[in-house]
Structures are given as C-alpha cells and as structure tokens.
C-alpha cells in the first residue's frame, strides 16, 4: 500500500467524520508514517486488521471529497492565488487602465 499525501490532506479535512478507530489508525499510518506492522504491534491487532481499517478509512475519505469537493476547491483557490502573485504587475496595469 503506497502512502499518498493527498489522503493525508483528506484526513485533515474530513477526519472527524470517520470513526475514532479509523481516524486514529489512518493518522498513525499517513501522518505519523508508521508501517502497518508497527501499528499492529502498538495497537494489539493483526496487520491485516490494520490494513483493512486504513483502506476503509481511505475509501470513505475519497467518498467525502467526491461529494463535498473541499480539497479540490482549495487547490483551485491556491492555484488562482499563485497565478495572481505571478501576474500582479499585469493585473495592476489592467486595473489602472479601467
């Protein structure tokens, strides 16, 4: 299972909608960078159990994003701001010309 920074961002936005256990295990895996084996050992559950819980959490996070789209909207706004910063002189010229 490859770790994905996007899932970490989704977890930050939608994590509160997961069960406490799902959120906890997903945070350990994605944010604290623990392996499935390390989490399994620390939590006293099987590695497969950890994997299944993390995968279910990941699927739910993707569903939340599909329905709400907050991360996509944030990314668009971020890109817009970066474009404005890069083109600030051009923007000022347009405004002054009005």
């Amino acid at each position: 299972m490859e770790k994905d920074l996007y899932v970490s961002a989704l977890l930050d936005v939608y994590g509160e909608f997961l069960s406490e256990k799902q959120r906890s295990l997903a945070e350990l895996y994605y944010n604290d960078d623990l392996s499935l084996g390390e989490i399994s050992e620390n939590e006293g559950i099987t590695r497969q159990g950890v994997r299944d819980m993390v995968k279910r959490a990941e699927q739910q996070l993707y569903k939340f994003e599909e329905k709400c789209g907050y991360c996509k909207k944030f990314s668009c706004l971020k890109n817009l701001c970066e474009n404005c910063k890069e083109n600030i002189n051009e923007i000022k010229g347009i405004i002054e010309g009005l």
Side-chain angles (χ1 to χ4, degrees):
M1 208 162 68
E2 185 177 318
K3 293 187 181 180
D4 186 350
L5 292 178
Y6 184 64
V7 175
S8 184
L10 293 177
L11 189 55
D12 289 343
V13 174
Y14 303 110
E16 293 296 319
F17 295 111
L18 299 174
S19 73
E20 180 64 35
K21 192 68 169 177
Q22 283 179 321
R23 186 175 73 246
S24 172
L25 295 180
E27 286 176 348
L28 289 171
Y29 184 73
Y30 285 104
N31 296 342
D32 296 342
D33 202 31
L34 295 179
S35 70
L36 296 174
E38 289 170 325
I39 298 169
S40 167
E41 200 173 290
N42 293 343
E43 298 294 318
I45 55 179
T46 66
R47 183 187 179 285
Q48 186 63 43
V50 172
R51 183 189 178 286
D52 291 346
M53 187 82 67
V54 169
K55 272 309 231 189
R56 267 184 262 135
E58 185 180 308
Q59 290 169 348
Q60 283 187 298
L61 292 169
Y62 280 120
K63 284 180 184 177
F64 293 143
E65 176 60 13
E66 184 180 310
K67 291 187 183 293
C68 300
Y70 291 123
C71 287
K72 183 179 179 182
K73 290 173 188 168
F74 177 79
S75 180
C76 288
L77 287 173
K78 183 178 173 189
N79 289 337
L80 180 62
C81 288
E82 288 172 4
N83 288 337
C84 287
K85 285 179 188 177
E86 290 172 9
N87 300 310
I88 192 70
N89 290 330
E90 184 180 335
I91 293 168
K92 283 180 182 178
I94 292 170
I95 292 171
E96 289 170 0
L98 294 177

